[in-house]
Amino acid sequence: MIMRIMAEGQFEVADEHLNRLNQLDDELLKALDSGDEGKFRTALDNLLGAVREAAVPVAADYLGPSDSILPRDGATIEEVRELLRTEGDGLIPGIPE
């Protein structure tokens, strides 16, 4: 799966990491619902860090689409809410069958 972190680049994530990333995505959604800035910041940092750790950067000349678009480091609660309006029920898609 190809994930884009806005303002950073694309990363290829193996399916074996998607369960963990979905858990972190759920934690981010809960933090957004709470409106707690500290919880939100921690959840976003955890999600982006896990993607970077599990993924392999995609070559700079790759022009294919991303399966998931993630907010940039430092994104605000409102920016992430807006991204979710366009992405749906979460930032990380479910595991492909």
Side-chain angles (χ1 to χ4, degrees):
M1 175 175 293
I2 303 294
M3 297 183 181
R4 173 178 295 282
I5 298 176
M6 295 173 73
E8 189 169 331
Q10 290 181 303
F11 298 86
E12 186 167 4
V13 179
D15 289 348
E16 66 196 54
H17 300 290
L18 293 180
N19 280 334
R20 176 69 180 136
L21 295 177
N22 273 297
Q23 290 172 343
L24 294 169
D25 188 26
D26 289 345
E27 290 174 18
L28 179 62
L29 292 174
K30 288 177 189 171
L32 279 171
D33 287 344
S34 77
D36 183 302
E37 180 71 30
K39 287 180 184 178
F40 164 75
R41 186 67 41 218
T42 297
L44 180 59
D45 290 347
N46 288 344
L47 176 60
L48 296 179
V51 169
R52 290 180 191 111
E53 184 178 305
V56 175
V58 174
D61 61 350
Y62 174 76
L63 298 176
S66 300
D67 299 302
S68 177
I69 299 174
L70 305 175
R72 63 178 173 78
D73 265 331
T76 66
I77 287 177
E78 200 47 50
E79 288 171 333
V80 175
R81 285 182 178 148
E82 183 61 32
L83 185 59
L84 283 166
R85 284 186 196 98
T86 60
E87 291 294 310
D89 291 333
L91 297 171
I92 309 290
I95 299 171
E97 298 189 22

